[in-house]
């Protein structure tokens, strides 16, 4: 069984670290979905503007030579608790596919890239392959009474974020809002709490560095990538 990507998503997160752990956690993170040549026909999108949200079915980044395991250690749960892979949202799955809900911002036909969808709230890396796009239907796709096991309800932001003005000047207002949202949910693995450690990830063409102490996250540097 082979699947062919229909599109590629582009945004400011080129690596997994720092990326929002779930969709909707950074509602200001804007991404663009660029359709592949065979799927740019405007007729394929007729009526899509009637929906506020979409499902994206996508392919995780290559998992390398790591063998499939029936149990995993989710970072969200501290990295010390083993759970069955089918009871987690771990990317280390038999078939590396993901499901994400995004908000549809706009749809446009461009001269150079064909059909482009602008969406908000994705938890996908820049360059991720999209396998399918479907409308999100609240009456069928949402169950407020559903139990969430060890994950519990989606947590509110846990950290106060401070970004110095000289670093804020490197980003647009929209990029800053998305970055602050992503940082406020604490991107560190659940088992790392060293207040002296400097963490880092790439975002918006910069190498972001930050520390966390006493519930406060401070961005210490942002070096433009060459």
């Amino acid at each position: 069984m082979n699947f062919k990507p229909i599109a590629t998503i582009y945004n400011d997160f080129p690596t997994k670290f720092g990326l929002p752990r779930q969709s909707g956690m950074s509602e200001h993170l804007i991404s663009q979905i660029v359709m592949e040549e065979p799927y740019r026909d405007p007729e394929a999108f007729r009526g899509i503007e009637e929906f506020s949200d979409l499902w994206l079915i996508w392919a995780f980044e290559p998992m390398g030579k790591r063998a499939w395991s029936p149990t995993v250690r989710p970072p969200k749960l501290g990295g010390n608790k083993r759970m069955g892979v089918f009871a987690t949202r771990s990317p280390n799955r038999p078939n590396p596919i993901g499901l994400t809900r995004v908000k549809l911002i706009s749809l446009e036909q461009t001269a150079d890239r064909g059909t482009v969808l602008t969406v908000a709230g994705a938890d996908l890396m820049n360059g991720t392959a999209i396998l399918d796009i479907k409308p999100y239907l609240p009456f069928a796709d949402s169950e407020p009474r559903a139990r969430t096991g060890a994950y519990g309800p989606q947590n509110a932001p846990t950290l106060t974020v401070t970004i110095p003005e000289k670093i804020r000047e490197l980003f647009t207002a929209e990029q800053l809002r998305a970055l602050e949202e992503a940082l406020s949910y604490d991107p560190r693995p659940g088992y790392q709490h060293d207040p002296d450690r400097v963490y880092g990830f790439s975002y918006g063409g910069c190498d972001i560095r930050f520390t966390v102490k006493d519930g406060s996250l401070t961005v210490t540097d942002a070096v433009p990538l060459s």
Side-chain angles (χ1 to χ4, degrees):
M1 183 181 296
N2 296 317
F3 293 96
K4 183 177 182 180
I6 65 169
T8 303
I9 194 168
Y10 298 97
N11 59 35
D12 286 319
F13 278 100
T15 62
K16 184 167 62 175
F17 187 75
L19 191 68
R21 291 190 177 97
Q22 301 291 338
S23 59
M25 292 180 69
S26 181
E27 63 179 16
H28 291 102
L29 175 56
I30 302 300
S31 303
Q32 290 193 320
I33 299 173
V34 180
M35 305 304 297
E36 297 296 333
E37 187 65 44
Y39 312 107
R40 294 180 176 181
D41 187 341
E43 287 296 294
F45 300 90
R46 182 190 295 185
I48 200 171
E49 296 95 336
E50 298 175 13
F51 300 93
S52 64
D53 295 71
L54 304 172
W55 283 119
L56 304 180
I57 300 173
W58 48 280
F60 281 107
E61 71 275 15
M63 300 303 294
K65 296 182 179 180
R66 182 166 49 175
W68 173 75
S69 171
T71 61
V72 294
R73 299 175 186 265
K76 172 66 175 175
L77 304 182
N80 297 315
K81 181 178 181 179
R82 279 201 171 274
M83 294 186 66
V85 65
F86 299 125
T88 73
R89 311 275 286 229
S90 169
N92 188 26
R93 319 192 70 78
N95 295 304
I97 55 176
L99 179 67
T100 287
R101 179 182 59 83
V102 295
K103 185 169 294 295
L104 176 62
I105 303 300
S106 66
L107 170 72
E108 60 180 325
Q109 301 296 328
T110 67
D112 56 338
R113 297 187 296 170
T115 304
V116 177
L117 291 86
T118 299
V119 300
D123 56 347
L124 284 68
M125 289 169 47
N126 179 67
T128 297
I130 306 298
L131 303 178
D132 201 3
I133 300 171
K134 298 181 178 181
Y136 172 85
L137 304 177
F139 67 86
D141 298 337
S142 177
E143 176 46 81
R145 297 168 298 179
R147 289 178 291 135
T148 55
Y151 283 85
Q154 179 164 309
N155 296 325
T158 59
L159 299 176
T160 300
V161 177
T162 299
I163 303 178
E165 188 60 34
K166 66 177 182 178
I167 295 177
R168 300 178 71 89
E169 293 173 353
L170 298 174
F171 304 100
T172 67
E174 191 172 73
Q175 286 177 315
L176 272 174
R177 286 194 294 267
L179 178 60
E180 288 172 330
E181 284 175 336
L183 292 172
S184 71
Y185 283 99
D186 195 349
R188 299 173 301 169
Y191 51 85
Q192 290 186 359
H193 300 282
D194 183 355
D196 297 320
R197 179 167 180 169
V198 178
Y199 299 87
F201 61 86
S202 297
Y203 173 80
C206 290
D207 182 16
I208 305 292
R209 298 289 172 175
F210 67 91
T211 59
V212 181
K213 185 176 182 180
D214 299 329
S216 296
L217 184 151
T218 301
V219 177
T220 58
D221 204 359
V223 180
L225 300 172
S226 56

